[in-house]
Amino acid sequence: MNRRTFLAVAGAGVTRMATAQSSTIPDAIRNLRPMTDGIQPITVGERQQRIEKARRLMRENKIGAVIMESGSSMFYFTGTRLNMGDNMFGVVLPVTGEPAWIVPATQARAHKAIDIGTDIRTWFDSDGPYKLIAQILKDRGASGGRIGMEERTRFAVFDGLRKEAPSLEFVSADPVTAGCRTIKSSAEIALMQRANDITIAAYRAALANLREGMTQRDLSANIAAAYSALGVQGEAMAVFGKYTAYPHGSIQPQKLREGDLVLIDDGCSVDGYQSDITRTTIFGKPTARQREIWNLERKAQDAALAAAKPGGTCESVDAAARKVITDFGFGPDYKVPGLPHRTGHGIGLDIHEWTYLVRGNKTRLQPGMCFSDEPMIAIYGEFGVRLEDCMYITEDGARMFTKQSPAIDQPFG
């Protein structure tokens, strides 16, 4: 079960508890103040620059147009994020000419959500959207070329379009979308910085209010309440004791006891840009074993940070962190006890996006790339430790958005 699935299962319980037992939220959390003043959203000008870069990448990859439905890539290029459910609502980004929108006739509100592009074409249930898309491609001179399909575009759209226009060649749009989104601008870095700052504030407030006997859902509810008070929506997985060994938590009922490790993980969004932070700390006094493994984890996180330099490969960062853990005697490779997953993932508008710090990924690091740095030590039946801070690559190396935890009983730098 991945973390998002875990949160989907557990989140409903957190929401019910936060609503039904809001009086149990500590005043220190309830009285937090918003940290959203002064946020600078991405400008229309920057989005237009992104479109021009996309067109350059389309030319390089011989792609005549990219088709996108609602999702992160559409938002990235156009600033529009509107989900029409089963109805096809999307945009065609051609290599030449302005973008063209495909809007269901029953959704007039979509017109108000569009800021970039004035070519808005409406489709009716009697006709469907595919003839309309084919006509747009013909109008833009792309009907005889390769068409890029953005990764979140549904198969039904691809299937309908290939039946309508069988002469088209369809390819992945990743060289265009990932080619643009992987390198963050200073404006994107600033939004991610704010999301990380807010997450630390929420975690700090929640961990200061741990109490004997609280459940993992109590802690998750406190973090969600802290986010709300800080002016954003956010969530967090919380796990205690032996369940901290599971990378994506456990839905098993848990109550906090003296000497338990406490692990919290996830983040919030600011103008669409994500944070993702994990803290592992102790409730009470740590044992020598807990402190030793926590310190080993911090050493592995440091090794990944040091290896994340321009020109290095993604897999070399993973190897640096993994070596620390295997030299200790864990593993080898992805075996448990040890590090059972990749060292990090790309992050931006999606909490997990291109590219990954994992064995076999020879992608070269470049300034502007953003990653989580989260090697984990999992010891099933005992406990686990994960420290996660996100970093961005600069000309001089990697920089963290947040201060790392200095010690097992000091989760904040």
Side-chain angles (χ1 to χ4, degrees), residues 172-321:
S172 169
D174 282 2
V176 178
T177 53
C180 289
R181 290 177 54 190
T182 299
I183 306 298
K184 273 64 179 181
S185 69
S186 58
E188 292 176 284
I189 296 290
L191 290 167
M192 294 174 69
Q193 183 64 65
R194 184 66 64 91
N196 278 272
D197 292 345
I198 292 172
T199 298
I200 288 294
Y203 281 11
R204 188 187 296 273
L207 289 180
N209 286 276
L210 296 177
R211 66 178 188 280
E212 181 92 15
M214 75 184 309
T215 69
Q216 81 270 36
R217 289 183 174 181
D218 292 334
L219 180 52
S220 290
N222 281 354
I223 296 171
Y227 278 130
S228 180
L230 291 164
V232 299
Q233 286 188 328
E235 57 191 1
M237 175 184 77
V239 281
F240 304 149
K242 66 180 182 180
Y243 297 106
T244 57
Y246 298 99
H248 300 295
S250 171
I251 61 173
Q252 291 298 315
Q254 302 160 42
K255 289 188 176 181
L256 186 60
R257 296 287 180 260
E258 183 80 13
D260 278 348
L261 284 183
V262 176
L263 186 152
I264 55 177
D265 179 16
D266 222 290
C268 69
S269 171
V270 173
D271 195 35
Y273 287 87
Q274 306 292 321
S275 61
D276 192 10
I277 298 173
T278 304
R279 289 292 178 263
T280 304
T281 190
I282 187 74
F283 182 63
K285 186 176 181 180
T287 65
R289 167 76 164 172
Q290 290 169 330
R291 191 180 294 278
E292 178 184 41
I293 301 304
W294 192 100
N295 289 341
L296 178 67
E297 164 70 3
R298 172 57 198 271
K299 186 179 177 183
Q301 190 191 38
D302 288 344
L305 178 64
K309 296 178 179 179
T313 63
C314 287
E315 69 175 358
S316 68
V317 180
D318 178 82

Side-chain angles (χ1 to χ4, degrees), residues 146-167:
R146 291 163 23 117
I147 306 303
M149 303 297 289
E150 196 272 337
E151 64 175 359
R152 301 294 177 88
T153 302
R154 293 169 298 166
F155 176 81
V157 174
F158 158 70
D159 193 43
L161 187 54
R162 69 175 175 175
K163 290 175 181 176
E164 180 64 36
S167 63

Side-chain angles (χ1 to χ4, degrees), residues 48 50-68 77 91-100 136-148 176:
Q48 290 171 333
R50 295 170 177 180
I51 290 173
E52 290 309 310
K53 180 178 180 179
R55 286 173 168 156
R56 174 174 60 79
L57 292 172
M58 279 190 263
R59 289 190 292 271
E60 291 175 2
N61 290 278
K62 296 180 172 57
I63 294 174
V66 170
I67 297 173
M68 294 177 276
F77 289 109
V91 65
V92 177
L93 180 60
V95 72
T96 58
E98 71 168 324
I136 290 170
L137 294 172
K138 183 178 180 180
D139 294 345
R140 297 296 189 271
S143 59
R146 291 163 23 117
I147 306 303
V176 178

